[in-house]
Amino acid sequence: MVSKPLAATALVVAAFGAHAADDSDLAAIRAQIAEMKQAYEQRIAALESRLAAAEAASRNTAAPATAAPSSTPGIATAPLATAAPAEPAPVPTNRVQTAASAFNPEISLILQGQYAQMKNVPDRTITGFWPAGGHDHEGGKGISTRGFSLNHTELVFSGGIDPYWRGQAILAVQDESVEVEEAWFQSLAIGHGIGLKGGRFRSGIGYLNEQHPHQWDFANAPLMYTALFGQEASFRDDGLQLKWLAPTPMFLEFGTEVGRGANFPGTDTNKNGAGAWAAYAHVGDDLGISNSWRAGLSYLRTQSGDREAEFVDVNGLAAQGLFSGNTSTWIADFVWKWAPDGNPKYRNFKFQSEYFVRKDKGNLTCQDEEGVGNACANPVTASYDTRQSGWYAQGVYQFTPEWRAGLRYDQLDSGTQNLGANAANLAVDNYRPQRWTGMVDYSWSEFSRVRLQYAQDKSMAGLTDNQWIVQYIMSLGAHGAHKF
Amino acid sequence: MFRRILTLLIALGSALPATAALNVFATVPEWAALVREIGGNKVSVFTATTALQDPHRIEARPSLLAQARRAQLVIATGADLEVGWLPVVLRDSGNAEIQRGRPGYFEAARWVTLIDIPAVLDRTQGDVHAAGNPHIQLDPRNLFRIGEALAARLGELDPPNAAAYVAGYQAFAVKWRNAIARWEKEATPLRGVPVLVHHQSFRYLGQWLGLKETGTLEPKPGVEPSGKHLSSLLATQQNTPARMVLRTAYQNAGPSEWMAQKAGIPAVMLPFTVGGTPEAGDLFGLFDDTIRRLLKGLN
């Protein structure tokens, strides 16, 4: 580009060099040189643009009809079709897919595991709270597992079933079994703000309840969720969910669910009708461009028939308690998220807090199943009436695209536990479990994260457990879309 | 009882007065601007994101659900740009009209030829988009086909105003063609200019104007620039010197400022979409300002 005008200049200079140049000659030469230079540059630019156009055209040969050079489009050459046009064939890709596999659902695989260092407590419970069974991973040790372990290997399948329904299944793969964590269908075509879901699903109550462990901001669930629903820290049910989103500028959603109610705090009653039902309302909005929030209130009612737990009798001997009755759980939740200009990629902050009150109402039977000679050698059935509560609050700050840090505080209150006539037989603890948790995590990308967590756990009376957890969460496959 | 509640809810939902204008939910500002050009006062437009937000990293906020619930038309870019949030918004909106495959769901990327379609899909290559590069709005020629299809779609959803949408598009197309001719003339000095980019946000702009990308500050798409990668880019700058470093309004200024300072070339922030700079107030302003900033970067 530079050499041609230079050569031209040399020629011109040579041609005129023989003459003794006066000022007017020099000016003329300068003008001529400038003119030639400009002409050459224009021609070179034109050539380059033609080359670029040719390159673009050769790239576009796969879909020639969709190439739209600037000289041809518009009303004159491409008259607007007034009839509804058919969608054009999707832009062809150069990947070969057989017709059958093209309909495969979206698949993703979650890999999650940890190293935990904490006190050796074989069967962790929360003092003053009914020891919920829940499903145990890792050979029945669950949250008591120390050292290296896998937390959760989840396989997620999802996709459209037809224009009316969408389906999703989440399978938790463990050493000797595959558990169906969730398997549901969801309506797409009812409209009017109505969403219908059926199958096995995580209930829409609370805020954290619907989230799977890999979406949590800490390596374990808040104490509140463990106390409410056991180690799985989520109320899951087989049933139906009906939601309605109001047509208002502010987010306002109502939901109700009916289901089998087989999971804690309910038991599998194997009867006609529903064993559990839930109702909730969510409200949320943005505050300016940088803040958004959601608040909710939920109610869950479950039934129990002979829900079992290990108690201790007044003499410190093991006794079995069987609860039959109803459990009402109220949860209030609040989430607030902040990101500068609403762009969470570089920096953002998330605050969340939930509060619950749970009431058991029914009868408790105390018995001596193992024959240890406790106070209930002759089974005693008496009224059982509790009111327990708790809350947690947590904040997580992402200060670079990769790094986040978070702090959480948990507190529960064993509240009132009226055992009626069994108060003379069984000992129950009045206790306020507490826990402080801090974490730092690093994400290489949206798909991989490693986390270091420290907790000072006082969830068991008389025990202060300093717990360290290093955890990884990796996801492969389809790009998941997460809820707020 | 259950059925009665359901009936009541449905009645409530449909009884609320529909606004006169067609409710449009645009995922990004460029499509909001385009539908305003075509529909004028016949459309009421909600824009889900701003030019200062990375459209890939948005969350399915409650406010977005509430707006999607009321929308009659969703205009998305597609090509996986909104994959992290739009599917949830559509699903949980309870709005049957805006689901994929329905007339109320319009995907702009389907109407243009995408570039950078990966031959191999492998996340070790970063956050690759299977369908190709989704930043299609920066080649203004793409807006003819998108705009034409959009006008037809608006007419399908709102038949009484179909002619107005056609006229709106035609008026826009005339102005747009003239503007493109002007921009192409103004941008002549940019032909063949080598540039570094933060992310592959400007592939279509580069293709249109003839810019030559000599490197990307992100080592892989979606992976933040690392010191090591920036240093190696700086080394290649010796042999293939770029004239400027480009980034969008929503990308972190740090890496491009670092590179600009080390290499002694200007860091140029481009609006990327409508609203990215005060001058980029509409689609015309977007390209006016983009070319002005690029030309300024040359000097």
Side-chain angles (χ1 to χ4, degrees), chain A residues 157-483:
Chain A
F157 300 85
S158 66
I161 296 167
D162 61 17
Y164 314 102
W165 305 102
R166 181 180 169 272
Q168 176 165 318
I170 301 181
L171 307 178
V173 186
Q174 295 154 63
D175 283 340
E176 278 138 29
S177 64
V178 175
E179 189 189 18
V180 181
E181 289 248 323
E182 295 197 68
W184 44 260
F185 62 88
Q186 182 185 33
S187 66
L188 295 174
I190 298 179
H192 306 287
I194 294 169
L196 181 69
K197 201 190 235 187
R200 176 175 298 176
F201 52 87
R202 290 186 166 225
S203 165
I205 57 172
Y207 172 69
L208 204 63
N209 195 70
E210 275 193 314
Q211 293 187 6
H212 281 258
H214 70 269
Q215 294 162 264
W216 296 347
D217 292 321
F218 290 84
N220 44 22
L223 282 182
M224 162 180 157
Y225 270 89
T226 314
L228 284 176
F229 307 120
Q231 290 188 10
E232 193 184 352
S234 170
F235 184 71
R236 238 177 357 136
D237 209 0
D238 297 358
L240 283 173
Q241 178 190 68
L242 182 71
K243 289 208 278 193
W244 181 66
L245 184 59
T248 48
M250 180 184 252
F251 173 79
L252 188 58
E253 181 189 63
F254 302 93
T256 181
E257 294 167 5
V258 288
R260 184 171 188 85
N263 290 328
F264 187 85
T267 60
D268 197 344
T269 43
N270 190 24
K271 62 167 196 174
N272 292 329
W277 67 272
Y280 43 86
H282 295 135
V283 55
D285 207 353
D286 291 343
L287 275 174
I289 197 76
S290 303
N291 298 285
S292 48
W293 60 275
R294 199 196 87 164
L297 186 65
S298 314
Y299 176 76
L300 171 69
R301 189 172 173 89
T302 50
Q303 291 176 357
S304 300
D306 288 345
R307 186 176 81 196
E308 291 179 26
E310 289 304 313
F311 277 76
V312 174
D313 83 346
V314 285
N315 300 315
L317 295 169
Q320 191 186 40
L322 300 169
F323 169 72
S324 295
N326 294 319
T327 305
S328 300
T329 307
W330 287 92
I331 302 176
D333 63 85
F334 177 72
V335 184
W336 170 61
K337 293 188 185 185
W338 169 86
D341 299 316
N343 187 28
K345 182 172 180 178
Y346 297 105
R347 278 191 303 147
N348 67 71
F349 178 74
K350 177 183 179 187
F351 172 82
Q352 86 192 47
S353 183
E354 295 184 72
Y355 171 81
F356 83 91
V357 177
R358 179 171 72 188
K359 293 174 183 173
D360 279 327
K361 201 165 178 60
N363 291 313
L364 184 78
T365 301
C366 166
Q367 62 183 32
D368 187 3
E369 195 196 31
E370 290 163 13
V372 295
N374 65 27
C376 306
N378 295 318
V380 182
T381 299
S383 70
Y384 182 76
D385 195 355
T386 67
R387 185 190 184 280
Q388 305 192 302
S389 62
W391 61 280
Y392 76 91
Q394 68 182 50
V396 176
Y397 182 52
Q398 181 191 308
F399 47 97
T400 73
E402 297 92 5
W403 288 97
R404 308 192 310 161
L407 193 63
R408 176 176 71 186
Y409 178 70
D410 286 287
Q411 185 178 309
L412 305 180
D413 184 352
S414 63
T416 54
Q417 302 175 78
N418 294 320
L419 276 67
N422 269 325
N425 303 322
L426 295 174
V428 291
D429 297 296
N430 281 318
Y431 187 60
R432 284 194 168 199
Q434 287 179 352
R435 184 174 67 182
W436 279 100
T437 312
M439 76 89 194
V440 178
D441 65 27
Y442 179 88
S443 304
W444 287 270
S445 70
E446 286 173 88
F447 309 101
S448 64
R449 172 172 286 169
V450 66
R451 173 180 292 145
L452 173 67
Q453 175 172 309
Y454 165 75
Q456 190 187 58
D457 185 350
K458 295 181 181 174
S459 58
M460 300 184 77
L463 185 74
T464 298
D465 194 5
N466 293 304
Q467 305 170 334
W468 289 92
I469 296 177
V470 182
Q471 186 195 32
Y472 64 85
I473 303 164
M474 312 270 170
S475 65
L476 295 78
H479 191 303
H482 287 158
K483 295 192 167 195

Side-chain angles (χ1 to χ4, degrees), chain B residues 122-139:
Chain B
D122 182 353
R123 288 242 172 80
T124 59
Q125 299 309 307
D127 192 9
V128 292
H129 291 275
N133 189 310
H135 307 298
I136 53 176
Q137 80 279 13
L138 284 184
D139 183 342

Side-chain angles (χ1 to χ4, degrees), chain A residues 49-85:
Chain A
S49 70
R50 279 170 60 187
L51 180 65
E55 278 173 355
S58 70
R59 269 198 300 270
N60 292 348
T61 45
T66 52
S70 63
S71 53
T72 55
I75 40 179
T77 52
L80 190 78
T82 43

Side-chain angles (χ1 to χ4, degrees), chain B residues 152-196:
Chain B
R153 188 65 67 85
L154 290 165
E156 189 184 340
L157 293 168
D158 182 15
N161 288 317
Y165 295 126
V166 172
Y169 168 70
Q170 288 174 342
F172 166 74
V174 169
K175 281 192 291 174
W176 197 241
R177 197 138 24 102
N178 293 335
I180 289 178
R182 175 164 54 82
W183 292 324
E184 285 179 346
K185 196 161 165 238
E186 286 171 4
T188 312
L190 296 167
R191 291 243 159 249
V193 168
V195 293
L196 286 169

Side-chain angles (χ1 to χ4, degrees), chain A residues 10-25:
Chain A
L11 267 172
V12 172
V13 170
F16 287 87
H19 301 277
D22 60 33
D23 284 357
S24 63
D25 281 338

